[in-house]
Amino acid sequence: MRKTISLIFGILAAVGFSQQQPYVDFIQAEVKVTINPDKQEVFGSVDYRFDVLKSSDSIFLDARNMTIEEVFLNNKPVDFNYQGRQLIIKNNLRPESNHKLRVSFRTKPSKAMYFRGWNNEAPDEVWTQGQGKYTSSWLPSLDDMNDKIEFDLSIMAPKDYAVVANGKYVEGGYIDDMQRWEYNMDLPMSSYLVALAIGRYDKRMIYSNSGIPIELYYRSSDSIKFEPTYRYTKEIFDFLENEIGLAYPWQNYKQIPIHDFLYAGMENTGATFFSDDFMIDEIAFNDNSYVNVNAHELAHQWFGNMVTETSGVHHWLHEGFASYYALLAEQHLFGDSHFYMKLYKSALKLEEQDLAGNGTSLLNPKSNSLTFYEKGAWTLFMLRELVGDHVFKSSIKEYLNAYKFKNVETDDFMDMVEKIADTDLTAFEKQWLLSDDFPIERAIDALNQMSPYVQGYINTNCEVEQSKCAEILSDTFNDDIKIKIITEQPDLINPDLFDESWKVRQAVALNSKSIADNDRELYESLLDDPSYITREAALYKLWTFLPDKRMVYLERTKDIFGLSDGNVRLLWLVLAMNTSGFDQDSIKQFYSELLEYTTDIHNPSLRIRAFNYLAMLDMCLDECQSNLELAKQHYNWQLSKFARQELAKLKD
Ligand SMILES: [Zn+2]
């Protein structure tokens, strides 16, 4: 097995590796940096302690587009070679421990450290993103994941801001209008996981059952969103520690909402950053809760941070595992039906990907996130079915214990399972790890056997058994079946459905094709449902089907913003601008508000929605277009891609 995998992917692996220095082992880093947000600059020094395992004539650090001011090797200034990418120090190094390297540097990072809000109305924040962006863009460090270092960070930042970083806060102090924050780690990690965030944050502390301090950060203006956002955090933490079977490996755990972030979340060691799109109120909890991301990033603290892939070939050891354990946490919180339905829906997406000819093997480093995350999670789910709970859990525990704070390959994990199961897993590996195809039939079989709920769902087919569907709709207790029937056969929508759960009511709001006079009040009641998606759909349907009452509905919904992408508010603005007689004096103001949502101070999700509406109205004019030009340069790839496409359409 080891050979099969290595032979096929050896070449890819060689390409995927960043440069290594096998005879140098970096042990510890003391980072001292000053952050100057006004100049968008970082400067300071880093002191490395490293061992030389075999005589070497040079060492290097990755350092992107910096000014290197001084380099000291073993306390003596040394010459260095630096062309903007790698700092190379040519020097005969004897094989011994505890060499010292000090680098002083200064830079205005173009990526990996982001300064947001210091020159506009957005919240003033500085934050970093190492994975995919290179920590070496703001800190001379190692892009290669295979040398793990114990980092201690001392950060000077303008006072009155909170500074959060990996590790334990040990002390601080003030110098003039600057404040020093010192964080210490006691265990090693790859450089891509180094992180800091600066902002006007408050925090609340909770503790896991095992006594780990969990610091939950928020902006004081968001205090009402604190509880829904962080709901179940302690349950998730306690569940994962118990399920994984190995204690949480780091000193503490922090979670920090980030404005204008790149991703949903990033699992920096002991300090998860997540998009403030997930700072949500009670209602949005139903639409877009943080629960899955919360569990996913926490699972990475073991899978990714404690045991780390040697290269992108083994990326599923991070993402597949984090996705699988997040699903298990959801099963623990929301039950089996929820869990199996999510698996079923992810199987359908994977099948669709295969049908489009885009399926790839789990060990192909070029696979997309659907494959790494969801095929990866499916692989673990099926592996557990094959070897049984006991063997699976023992294997996970042994694997983590054997490789903690080291780097791993897929074989390291699979060999451990084979050993503990005392079974040959070659056939399993061929099907789940090596094949480009997702074994959809095998997956559906498994779900049919394990979940009568999903089985009932799969077997409901209104296209084949049209006549039966009305009956099933009134008889079944399965909400997902009801939603499926409503979606496929909107004609079957009837007043009784308004007595159902908010999820079924949402399907009614989304799929209704008309509103009968007698049902008007039922539809109006949807405007108060505990879901902004339902409220948005209901407003649109009521406005469309009952034109005489448009002004009433606009008046009733004028104070709802909705999800963080403003789904209700933006629809409201567009409808208000198109309702003759409604507040004619304010039409310009409505337009200005919509336009304002396209500016740089907002998150990509809100900006994209605003751009879309303006384009739809043929009102993306000069200012909107110059905001699109700016968005084209944005570091968030979804936003920049969207902006490029919109600009191309406008030029047509
Ligand atoms: Zn992840």
Side-chain angles (χ1 to χ4, degrees):
M1 179 200 78
R2 188 178 289 272
K3 267 184 200 151
T4 332
I5 293 174
S6 311
L7 271 181
I8 296 176
F9 294 102
I11 300 162
L12 289 169
V15 175
F17 271 111
S18 41
Q19 203 179 338
Q20 296 183 334
Q21 34 196 352
Y23 303 121
V24 180
D25 183 12
F26 284 84
I27 306 293
Q28 203 224 356
E30 278 184 32
V31 180
K32 292 194 177 77
V33 287
T34 298
I35 311 286
N36 183 338
D38 292 329
K39 290 189 176 169
Q40 309 212 345
E41 184 183 50
V42 52
F43 59 90
S45 65
V46 51
D47 284 87
Y48 282 103
R49 197 156 56 72
F50 64 96
D51 296 348
V52 174
L53 311 173
K54 195 175 152 187
S55 292
S56 299
D57 58 6
S58 70
I59 51 167
F60 73 80
L61 287 172
D62 296 294
R64 292 167 186 257
N65 305 316
M66 298 184 171
T67 304
I68 302 292
E69 294 176 334
E70 282 180 322
V71 179
F72 285 78
L73 183 63
N74 293 323
N75 302 320
K76 288 181 197 134
V78 284
D79 289 339
F80 55 89
N81 180 345
Y82 182 63
Q83 310 288 340
R85 171 65 186 78
Q86 244 177 10
L87 172 65
I88 300 164
I89 299 121
K90 295 223 184 281
N91 205 294
N92 286 324
L93 291 157
R94 275 179 296 151
E96 57 187 26
S97 303
N98 281 321
H99 287 280
K100 287 180 193 158
L101 176 67
R102 164 176 290 194
V103 180
S104 302
F105 62 95
R106 179 179 288 271
T107 185
K108 294 185 174 188
S110 63
K111 59 180 184 177
M113 179 179 277
Y114 301 88
F115 298 81
R116 308 303 295 162
W118 303 87
N119 52 9
N120 64 27
E121 299 304 305
D124 294 352
E125 286 172 10
V126 180
W127 48 269
T128 61
Q129 167 61 35
Q131 191 171 37
K133 300 291 168 192
Y134 300 113
T135 297
S136 59
S137 303
W138 65 272
L139 173 68
S141 52
L142 295 172
D143 292 347
D144 176 24
M145 293 178 282
N146 291 281
D147 196 349
K148 296 197 173 190
I149 302 169
E150 187 239 294
F151 284 92
D152 296 327
L153 283 94
S154 170
I155 300 148
M156 289 284 281
K159 68 178 184 193
D160 301 330
Y161 291 89
V163 175
V164 194
N166 320 91
K168 186 176 171 186
Y169 177 80
V170 282
E171 61 168 57
Y174 292 91
I175 300 176
D176 301 327
D177 52 356
M178 299 292 275
Q179 187 173 355
R180 181 168 53 87
W181 299 70
E182 227 162 86
Y183 284 91
N184 273 17
M185 294 191 74
D186 53 14
L187 291 165
M189 65 179 185
S190 308
S191 297
Y192 78 89
L193 294 163
V194 177
L196 66 87
I198 303 174
R200 290 192 194 276
Y201 294 118
D202 289 337
K203 71 170 175 188
R204 292 182 202 168
M205 295 272 286
I206 58 173
Y207 291 86
S208 70
N209 283 347
S210 58
I212 298 287
I214 303 171
E215 301 175 15
L216 305 174
Y217 287 79
Y218 63 102
R219 300 188 197 101
S220 49
S221 55
D222 282 339
S223 61
I224 201 163
K225 297 178 176 173
F226 180 89
E227 189 284 324
T229 300
Y230 287 118
R231 189 172 296 167
Y232 300 128
T233 295
K234 180 176 152 46
E235 287 86 341
I236 294 168
F237 199 104
D238 292 336
F239 169 77
L240 284 185
E241 266 206 314
N242 186 44
E243 170 65 34
I244 292 168
L246 197 84
Y248 174 80
W250 312 100
Q251 295 140 298
N252 54 27
Y253 189 52
K254 314 178 193 85
Q255 302 197 60
I256 305 100
I258 301 284
H259 185 64
D260 213 4
F261 196 45
L262 279 150
Y263 313 113
M266 174 62 207
E267 69 274 19
N268 308 300
T269 303
T272 283
F273 292 177
F274 66 96
S275 164
D276 65 0
D277 275 347
F278 289 106
M279 284 306 292
I280 42 143
D281 63 21
E282 185 66 38
I283 295 169
F285 179 85
N286 289 331
D287 296 313
N288 188 37
S289 89
Y290 176 53
V291 169
N292 183 274
V293 178
N294 191 339
H296 178 106
E297 308 308 339
L298 178 58
H300 272 311
Q301 302 298 326
W302 287 266
F303 304 103
N305 298 4
M306 186 176 76
V307 294
T308 308
E309 65 194 24
T310 55
S311 77
V313 173
H314 310 286
H315 198 45
W316 82 287
L317 296 177
H318 294 196
E319 298 307 342
F321 279 64
S323 302
Y324 174 67
Y325 279 93
L327 265 180
L328 290 184
E330 287 195 58
Q331 180 182 29
H332 171 71
L333 294 170
F334 307 127
D336 285 351
S337 305
H338 173 92
F339 172 71
Y340 290 116
M341 273 308 291
K342 274 197 106 164
L343 278 168
Y344 176 63
K345 288 186 175 163
S346 103
L348 293 185
K349 279 189 277 174
L350 287 159
E351 181 190 29
E352 199 181 312
Q353 170 169 269
D354 282 358
L355 291 173
N358 298 326
T360 51
S361 138
L362 204 46
L363 301 188
N364 179 342
K366 297 221 160 74
S367 287
N368 60 17
S369 44
L370 180 64
T371 299
F372 283 135
Y373 288 59
E374 307 209 10
K375 195 178 184 182
W378 257 102
T379 300
L380 290 172
F381 172 72
M382 293 304 287
L383 181 62
R384 187 175 189 148
E385 287 316 304
L386 182 67
V387 301
D389 277 349
H390 180 71
V391 167
F392 183 83
K393 286 182 81 164
S394 306
S395 307
I396 292 287
K397 198 173 158 179
E398 291 297 311
Y399 160 72
L400 288 172
N401 258 320
Y403 298 101
K404 58 184 169 193
F405 310 109
K406 295 186 180 141
N407 292 80
V408 280
E409 305 201 338
T410 301
D411 283 348
D412 297 326
F413 173 65
M414 292 306 296
D415 287 355
M416 186 64 82
V417 185
E418 278 195 326
K419 191 180 109 190
I420 291 176
D422 197 15
T423 310
D424 177 21
L425 293 172
T426 310
F428 179 88
E429 286 166 357
K430 219 171 140 190
Q431 185 166 42
W432 288 93
L433 297 177
L434 297 171
S435 168
D436 283 346
D437 300 326
F438 177 73
I440 182 72
E441 282 168 22
R442 182 74 200 82
I444 299 293
D445 275 355
L447 288 175
N448 268 323
Q449 275 171 32
M450 278 179 256
S451 172
Y453 187 91
V454 172
Q455 189 181 32
Y457 182 89
I458 294 173
N459 291 339
T460 305
N461 189 335
C462 289
E463 271 142 36
V464 178
E465 301 173 292
Q466 213 166 350
S467 56
K468 270 196 185 166
C469 272
E471 206 178 305
I472 300 171
L473 187 59
S474 68
D475 291 350
T476 183
F477 293 105
N478 181 324
D479 271 2
D480 287 288
I481 291 183
K482 285 189 204 287
I483 292 166
K484 187 179 185 183
I485 295 174
I486 293 166
T487 309
E488 288 176 3
Q489 301 277 311
D491 297 348
L492 296 177
I493 290 174
N494 63 69
D496 291 343
L497 292 171
F498 287 86
D499 296 330
E500 301 283 346
S501 70
W502 69 264
K503 286 184 187 171
V504 175
R505 288 167 58 92
Q506 181 177 85
V508 171
L510 289 168
N511 292 288
S512 56
K513 301 274 183 270
S514 61
I515 298 177
D517 262 355
N518 289 343
D519 298 339
R520 183 173 54 82
E521 282 180 21
L522 291 173
Y523 278 91
E524 285 171 358
S525 72
L526 295 170
L527 291 173
D528 299 319
D529 263 27
S531 156
Y532 290 123
I533 293 171
T534 306
R535 291 183 184 194
E536 178 195 6
L539 172 60
Y540 179 70
K541 297 286 165 84
L542 287 162
W543 186 91
T544 304
F545 297 134
L546 301 170
D548 294 348
K549 299 202 69 187
R550 285 178 177 176
M551 289 199 250
V552 177
Y553 299 135
L554 288 172
E555 193 56 36
R556 187 163 157 187
T557 51
K558 67 178 186 209
D559 295 325
I560 306 174
F561 188 78
L563 298 173
S564 56
D565 65 0
N567 70 323
V568 180
R569 182 62 186 169
L570 268 57
L571 172 67
W572 189 95
L573 290 169
V574 171
L575 297 181
M577 286 159 65
N578 286 282
T579 302
S580 60
F582 182 76
D583 201 354
Q584 291 303 299
D585 299 342
S586 303
I587 292 221
K588 251 189 177 165
Q589 214 177 305
F590 298 153
Y591 172 72
S592 304
E593 186 182 337
L594 192 53
L595 187 59
E596 198 274 336
Y597 292 132
T598 67
T599 62
D600 198 32
I601 75 170
H602 299 291
N603 272 347
S605 57
L606 177 56
R607 298 178 71 186
I608 288 174
R609 193 175 272 271
F611 279 128
N612 268 327
Y613 272 127
L614 285 167
M616 195 183 84
L617 297 169
D618 256 336
M619 289 173 90
C620 189
L621 309 175
D622 294 353
E623 207 177 325
C624 168
Q625 288 183 27
S626 67
N627 287 340
L628 269 178
E629 288 289 347
L630 279 176
K632 205 170 73 174
Q633 318 296 333
H634 197 276
Y635 51 77
N636 179 298
W637 69 267
Q638 286 102 332
L639 178 60
S640 62
K641 184 179 168 191
F642 168 85
R644 272 196 307 277
Q645 288 169 345
E646 284 305 303
L647 285 164
K649 277 192 228 161
L650 284 166
K651 278 181 193 129
D652 277 351

